[in-house]
Amino acid sequence: MREIRTFEMEYDEPAAAWRVEHPLIVEVARGTLWLTLEGDAEDYWIDPGESFLLPVGAKAWIGSGRGDVRLTVRGAGARNPAYENAALLRPSIEPSHRRSGLLSTPRWRQAAA
């Protein structure tokens, strides 16, 4: 059995800080999620249907990018098939798309170990 949590954030809510104790997969269901990680100078804009792998020990700030956002969070443990495909989960976005907040067709890269 695994736990899946659903969160909703309104556009005017302040960003939330998360300390990641075990790998998590964040998937956006509605809206655009803004996400940044401590030690990573980039901002990530995750659209509906896209996922992001949060590694152990990360401190992440999340907020609503454009309008309200709805997201699900689930563990990315060894028994989770999505964890085996972690390379597909952490977006690597061209720098020009990061600054503009536009994700046309993101490329994927291997998650940080």
Side-chain angles (χ1 to χ4, degrees), residues 1 8 10 12 17 20 26 31 44 63 65 71 73 77 79 81 95 98 101 112:
M1 182 183 314
E8 292 185 352
E10 294 180 1
D12 58 354
V20 182
V26 176
Y44 299 95
L71 60 127
V73 178
R79 292 187 182 185
R98 288 184 180 128

Side-chain angles (χ1 to χ4, degrees), residues 20 23-27 35-46 49-61 74 76 82-94 98 103 105-113:
V20 182
L24 296 173
I25 298 169
V26 176
E27 185 171 353
L35 184 144
T36 192
L37 299 172
E38 184 176 77
D40 184 344
E42 304 300 335
D43 288 346
Y44 299 95
W45 302 90
I46 299 108
E50 295 179 333
S51 299
F52 195 97
L53 177 65
L54 294 174
V56 173
K59 184 170 184 180
W61 285 267
R74 66 183 184 273
Y83 187 68
E84 296 171 8
N85 298 317
L88 303 174
L89 298 171
R90 185 153 181 202
S92 177
I93 304 157
E94 294 297 323
R98 288 184 180 128
L103 292 177
T105 306
R107 290 182 290 155
W108 307 97
R109 67 178 164 127
Q110 176 115 9

